[in-house]
Amino acid sequence: MLSLWLLMLPCLSLVPPVPAEKGLEFPRYDGKDRVLDINDKNYKKAMKKHSMLCLFYHEPIPESKELQKQHQMTELVLELAAQVMEEKDIGFGMVDSHKDAKVSKKLGLEEEGSVYVFKADRVIEFDGLLSANTLVEFLLDLLEEPVEVIGNAAELRAFDRMEEDIRLIGYFKNEDSEHYEAFKEAAEQFQPYIKFFATFEKSVAKELTLKMNEVDFYEPFMEEPVTIPGKPHSEEELVEFIIEHRRPTLRKLRAEDMFETWEDDIEGIHIVAFAEEEDPDGFEFLEILKEVARDNTHLPELSIVWIDPDDFPLLIPYWEKTFKVDLFRPQIGVVNVTDADSVWMEMEDEEDLPTAQELEDWIEDVLSGKVNTEDDDDEDDDDDEDDEEENQSLIIINNTGRGN
């Protein structure tokens, strides 16, 4: 089966389209091999040598020339990332699930096609698009401190603008506080997927209406945070709360964690909304979507994935063909993550977007089962088998999205 995330390599930055002026020269692979073939004899040395070790765990190299070419493309992505990150003391390697089964078991590698990052005593699975750009950005985030300290009004304004992210912020006496230390240890478990902030300034805490040792949890696109009950909090209590509330009512599909988001379905389905934020209709639709999400954030079974097509241009033709929708205008539908079957909200007037109430009524029908992806299965039985295979391989809606 074709592996989309290898077909989607958006920008290897191997050769610039035109000669670049100094200061804008994108890195090109220099031909030097930096990615190690990790085995039982050298893995300990590699882990000691680097502050972080990034490993791609893969199935045995196939005999098919097409699949071999895909494997080479993956290796090229890793080589470019290794070249760019060489001065950051990050090592890169590949682990064959069959040839290196012994070391993969010791390291706890389980899912073929996944990238694992070893940092100190932590193992972080990279659940994003395997492109050099995305992987390097992810690793740079991991190099940062797990908690960012907010100390003035300007930094607080920047914090307020981060509406797409799950965020936590706590108010503590100082960096030596045992309660801040527990907060920091919890942050390390979720870095870089969840953002943690802290302040030691009374004026900043006052703006946030935070009391000493209190922690607020911000769900994406929600106007008001939730104060984590009880204080002070232990590391275990913070982790437990985050795990329980980690699935937002509305979240954006992002390259850096797209597979984690897609795998986190509810009973095998996602409510998916397509909207271009830079397009006037898309922006208006997104604002309506936020309103509906805020009004219904108390429903644990409601989770909407917003996709901005501009973020995934190579996927637009596949999505349009598979879902039979026009992504040049806003759309919302329910998608089965197993077979990519879908049902989309009918918008009677293409010129007018649905109101918040109409959107809410449609979502209620989805949650009650009145709208579901099984209704048109009889019609789909007549589709060509080739189309079915292509649908399942060319979009990111298979179970892992990692080419398995």
Side-chain angles (χ1 to χ4, degrees), residues 165-176:
D165 299 290
I166 296 178
R167 295 163 291 153
L168 288 90
I169 185 165
Y171 174 37
F172 306 98
K173 185 177 181 180
N174 52 46
E175 290 187 359
D176 297 325

Side-chain angles (χ1 to χ4, degrees), residues 150 156 169-171 199-212 214 216 218:
I150 294 179
L156 184 56
I169 185 165
Y171 174 37
T199 187
F200 310 122
E201 302 297 330
K202 188 175 181 179
S203 59
V204 174
K206 184 177 180 180
E207 286 291 322
L208 294 166
T209 66
L210 278 173
K211 298 177 181 178
M212 183 64 70
E214 202 167 60
D216 276 357
Y218 287 76

Side-chain angles (χ1 to χ4, degrees), residues 384-404:
D384 293 335
E385 288 186 10
D386 290 342
D387 288 340
E388 181 180 342
E389 291 178 3
E390 184 179 34
N391 288 346
Q392 294 186 33
S393 62
L394 289 179
I395 59 176
I396 59 171
I397 311 185
N398 52 27
N399 284 335
T400 68
R402 299 186 183 85
N404 292 336

Side-chain angles (χ1 to χ4, degrees), residues 29-39 42 46 49-50 52-58 61 71-86 90-96 99-100 114-116 130 132 135-136 139:
Y29 178 46
D30 60 9
K32 179 181 176 181
D33 292 337
R34 295 174 176 83
V35 178
L36 302 172
D37 181 10
I38 296 294
N39 54 51
N42 66 5
K49 182 179 179 181
H50 302 284
M52 289 200 303
L53 184 62
C54 181
L55 299 181
F56 176 63
Y57 181 55
H58 63 90
I61 299 175
H71 182 81
Q72 292 167 359
M73 289 290 285
T74 305
E75 190 169 5
L76 196 56
V77 168
L78 296 174
E79 287 288 3
L80 183 56
Q83 176 183 321
V84 172
M85 301 297 286
E86 190 171 25
I90 298 178
F92 288 76
M94 304 181 76
V95 181
D96 187 303
K99 186 177 67 174
D100 304 313
S114 290
V115 173
Y116 295 88
L130 189 52
L135 181 57
V136 167
L139 294 172

Side-chain angles (χ1 to χ4, degrees), residues 106-134:
K106 289 180 180 178
L107 295 176
L109 311 183
E110 297 179 349
E111 191 169 4
E112 292 177 340
S114 290
V115 173
Y116 295 88
V117 182
F118 291 79
K119 179 184 178 183
D121 58 348
R122 292 185 61 216
V123 181
I124 305 104
E125 184 175 0
F126 171 67
D127 262 321
L129 175 66
L130 189 52
S131 71
N133 286 339
T134 307

Side-chain angles (χ1 to χ4, degrees), residues 369-385:
K370 292 181 181 178
V371 174
N372 65 77
T373 61
E374 306 303 318
D375 290 342
D376 60 351
D377 278 356
D378 292 339
E379 299 176 13
D380 291 343
D381 288 342
D382 296 330
D383 291 344
D384 293 335
E385 288 186 10

